[in-house]
Amino acid sequence: MLRSLTWAWKGLLPPVAPLSMRSTSSEANRRGKLDNKVAVITGSTKGIGFAIARRLAQDGAHVVVSSRKQQNVDQAVAALQGEGLSVTGTVCHVGKPEDRERLVATTLESYGGVDFLVCVPAINPIVGSTTDCSEQIWDKILNVNVKAPGLLLSQLLPHMEKRGQSSVVLVSSVAAYTPVALTEDPVISETSLEFFGVQRLGEPEDCAGIVSFLCSPDASYITGECIVVAGHSPHL
């Protein structure tokens, strides 16, 4: 039924040829464009956040990773330092004021300043209609997803302004444009590839390059943009 429905949707759209995958630039060509910059990345011990931390460090930045669990922070720092990258880390639940203060203090103590803030973590403690959300769930979503990044930025901004040419990148989900079921069902994954005309599902590393670009001088005249990394355009 799902496959039939998807192909019915495709019949409403113009034909889309499978997209070719461009090769990424070599690490040797990338290294150095963020030399001696300092990046704070929340939710950066796994997945997309970890891939971003690795890429910014590979491009020359000093990186501060963080997440809610000390064990995850230790593993991420050890892995990246083992690759010869300049990385430190601390526990930070972005919804807790004391943890945000610790993250700022760790960054300043380790590197003396900060240039980039990349906010990755977000929560969605309910699956279903938003009309079924309790006030507590609304508060949790807004506190972590909306309020916490703003408050963290307010703490870091004075230090970022001293350095100049700073960047803030907020990572969200393409589901904001195209809501999908959260599943690992291979049939649904295969159908998604067919529907959007792409050759593979996305990987965390696919998001890392654009963040590095947005933090680089090459993006100095870009601000306030929503850039989709999804293998397709939800606007078409």
Side-chain angles (χ1 to χ4, degrees):
M1 178 63 182
L2 179 61
R3 184 179 297 273
S4 300
L5 181 59
T6 300
W7 280 107
W9 291 338
K10 290 187 69 175
L12 301 176
L13 299 174
V16 178
L19 300 177
S20 61
M21 296 299 154
R22 296 174 295 177
S23 60
T24 59
S25 59
S26 68
E27 181 179 336
N29 291 333
R30 297 195 315 259
R31 185 176 293 277
K33 68 177 181 178
L34 302 181
D35 272 356
N36 297 318
K37 299 294 186 178
V38 178
V40 173
I41 311 176
T42 60
S44 48
T45 59
K46 294 182 179 179
I48 292 174
F50 182 77
I52 293 171
R54 171 181 276 148
R55 177 60 182 268
L56 297 192
Q58 287 174 341
D59 289 348
H62 306 293
V63 173
V64 182
V65 300
S66 65
S67 70
R68 294 178 299 168
K69 297 182 180 179
Q70 185 67 56
Q71 179 182 358
N72 293 342
V73 172
D74 293 341
Q75 290 175 349
V77 169
L80 296 176
Q81 288 182 347
E83 298 175 14
L85 303 175
S86 178
V87 177
T88 190
T90 186
V91 169
C92 181
H93 184 310
V94 292
K96 296 181 178 180
E98 62 273 20
D99 280 15
R100 295 194 299 267
E101 292 174 3
R102 183 191 306 114
L103 178 58
V104 174
T106 298
T107 302
L108 299 179
E109 290 170 5
S110 299
Y111 301 117
V114 60
D115 299 282
F116 313 131
L117 171 62
V118 182
C119 295
V120 179
I123 60 170
N124 181 26
I126 185 172
V127 177
S129 173
T130 55
T131 58
D132 295 329
C133 286
S134 66
E135 184 173 355
Q136 290 76 16
I137 290 177
W138 275 112
D139 287 342
K140 188 172 185 179
I141 292 173
L142 293 174
N143 284 341
V144 174
N145 297 2
V146 179
K147 187 171 75 173
L151 292 175
L152 180 56
L153 175 60
S154 69
Q155 293 174 274
L156 290 172
L157 189 58
H159 307 286
M160 298 171 75
E161 289 178 332
K162 292 178 182 177
R163 310 266 285 197
Q165 298 182 340
S166 298
S167 297
V168 178
V169 181
L170 307 177
V171 180
S172 185
S173 171
V174 71
Y177 295 100
T178 318
V180 294
L182 297 177
T183 179
E184 295 182 0
D185 189 326
V187 174
I188 295 179
S189 297
E190 179 184 345
T191 305
S192 298
L193 295 179
E194 294 173 349
F195 178 71
F196 292 118
V198 295
Q199 296 177 338
R200 61 176 176 83
L201 294 175
E203 299 290 344
E205 289 73 19
D206 292 318
C207 300
I210 188 65
V211 175
S212 181
F213 164 72
L214 291 173
C215 292
S216 76
D218 291 332
S220 63
Y221 208 57
I222 296 175
T223 188
E225 289 293 337
C226 294
I227 300 175
V228 177
V229 183
H232 69 282
S233 172
H235 307 295
L236 297 179

